[in-house]
Amino acid sequence: FVILAGAKLSSKMPVVEKFLEKGSRVFLGGAMAHPIMASRGVDIKNSKTEDLDVLKISTNSNILVPVDYIWNDRDMIVDAGEKTLDVIKNEVENSKNILWNGPLGLYEDGFYAGTEALIHILDGKKDKNIVLGGGDTLTVLEKYPYFTCSYISLSGGAMLEFLAKGNLPGIESNNN
């Protein structure tokens, strides 16, 4: 199960497509979910979004997006709601391997309840392989020094690029 959240879906499309090709379930949160939600008929009002061609992935049943949301006073979606967290919890319970990159909400503006709930869903799952990546994810985890997982990558972008491509230039040159 893959949980990707953040501002730009465009930068994560290669890894999303790679995991979908493998049949993985992929949850998109944060603003990166908004193009998919809009393509599925959800009124995202003033929420941040990108103008992307998402038809190929938005119709894929393995792409999950928030089913309820927290709105701010400017009619912007800023966090995942409780029903969404129930969906994530169910996916986690039914998955052996979990990859998480990026906070679910606009945590820098104080909307971190969804991300904190996700931390509690994932924490202590010793029967699961849980891999985390990204500076924003790690910043959120600073408040949880006893959080346990299988692996943490300090460079989430590089980790996702490696997972999408199977190699990176620096690794490739060291293997020659």
Side-chain angles (χ1 to χ4, degrees), residues 69-131:
Y69 351 94
I70 307 298
W71 298 89
N72 70 8
D73 58 1
R74 295 186 308 264
D75 280 336
M76 297 172 63
I77 298 170
V78 292
D79 207 351
E82 288 183 26
K83 291 178 185 171
T84 298
L85 291 158
D86 287 341
V87 169
I88 292 171
K89 183 176 183 179
N90 184 55
E91 292 293 331
V92 167
E93 294 301 324
N94 292 306
S95 300
K96 176 80 175 137
N97 301 303
I98 297 120
L99 171 67
W100 173 32
N101 179 273
L104 298 182
L106 197 58
Y107 79 96
E108 61 272 17
D109 287 350
F111 297 98
Y112 46 80
T115 301
E116 286 187 340
L118 176 58
I119 290 168
H120 292 293
I121 290 168
L122 295 176
D123 192 24
K125 301 280 193 244
K126 296 186 185 330
D127 61 328
K128 315 252 181 230
N129 296 313
I130 300 174
V131 176

Side-chain angles (χ1 to χ4, degrees), residues 109-161:
D109 287 350
F111 297 98
Y112 46 80
T115 301
E116 286 187 340
L118 176 58
I119 290 168
H120 292 293
I121 290 168
L122 295 176
D123 192 24
K125 301 280 193 244
K126 296 186 185 330
D127 61 328
K128 315 252 181 230
N129 296 313
I130 300 174
V131 176
L132 308 181
D136 289 337
T137 307
L138 299 179
T139 298
V140 172
L141 282 175
E142 286 177 359
K143 294 188 333 187
Y144 299 91
Y146 300 107
F147 179 84
T148 58
C149 64
S150 306
Y151 182 78
I152 296 177
S153 171
L154 299 177
S155 179
M159 175 188 74
L160 294 176
E161 185 176 348

